[in-house]
Amino acid sequence: MALRLIVKEGEPLLEKPSRPVEKFDEKLWQLLDDMSETMYAAQGVGLAAPQVGVLRRICVIDVGDGLMELINPVITKTAGQQESAEGCLSSPGKYGITHRPKKVTVEYFDRHGNKKTAKGEDLLAKAFCHEIDHLDGILFKTHVIRWEK
Ligand code: NI
């Protein structure tokens, strides 16, 4: 495993859409291992592949309940709304209040290509939305209704 450099806001790559993963091979597993190591080292709760310079639809999340690896994730259902502070490892020290759904259902593939469904509430719902946005080149600043001082 290896730490990867986290791409910072301002880099055009972060605002480009990512392509789906097609091969569930050792190269993917290496990337996933590196992404989780990089996320934990940076004390983040989520990291998307574009943030390590790879335009593929992959993200890792751990809000304290264990590591999730999501490949080609799609939000299939949302409910409710939450208003809370949000940040991003690509925007160190910047936090803003956003509106996100309170409950989010995602469909995705695991590292072996098995289709899965997961439901998240509160922080996990926010992480699903934030990380999947990254795969479409959308940064959390577009959702901020006011910046934290
Ligand atoms: Ni982010």
Side-chain angles (χ1 to χ4, degrees):
M1 297 209 289
L3 288 179
R4 303 230 183 172
L5 211 61
I6 297 178
V7 176
K8 297 299 189 298
E9 193 183 334
E11 171 65 52
L13 178 140
L14 276 183
E15 302 196 46
K16 291 183 178 167
S18 291
R19 287 173 295 145
V21 170
E22 287 163 3
K23 286 185 188 166
F24 294 80
D25 57 6
E26 285 188 13
K27 195 178 166 200
L28 171 68
W29 302 340
Q30 180 68 59
L31 174 60
L32 285 164
D33 290 345
D34 290 354
M35 283 175 61
S36 56
E37 191 180 357
T38 303
M39 173 183 75
Y40 288 126
Q43 297 183 304
V45 299
L47 187 71
Q51 294 181 274
V52 294
V54 178
L55 288 172
R56 288 286 182 179
R57 303 189 75 84
I58 302 165
C59 56
V60 293
I61 292 172
D62 188 343
V63 297
D65 299 325
L67 178 63
M68 298 183 74
E69 299 174 331
L70 299 100
I71 297 153
N72 301 341
V74 177
I75 292 173
T76 55
K77 199 175 169 190
T78 64
Q81 192 188 66
Q82 57 176 313
E83 180 178 313
S84 64
E86 189 165 331
C88 179
L89 291 176
S90 292
S91 309
K94 285 175 74 176
Y95 297 92
I97 302 295
T98 61
H99 285 159
R100 296 287 196 178
K102 185 167 177 63
K103 296 182 182 182
V104 173
T105 304
V106 290
E107 287 184 1
Y108 63 99
F109 293 87
D110 69 10
R111 62 163 58 205
H112 301 291
N114 300 307
K115 196 167 189 185
K116 305 269 185 179
T117 302
K119 291 180 182 180
E121 275 190 55
D122 301 319
L123 180 56
L124 183 55
K126 180 164 62 172
F128 285 153
C129 294
H130 179 114
E131 300 311 330
I132 292 171
D133 267 355
H134 272 300
L135 308 181
D136 294 316
I138 297 167
L139 298 177
F140 84 103
K141 65 183 178 186
T142 64
H143 293 278
V144 170
I145 53 171
R146 64 177 183 277
W147 289 99
E148 297 270 82
K149 294 208 176 112

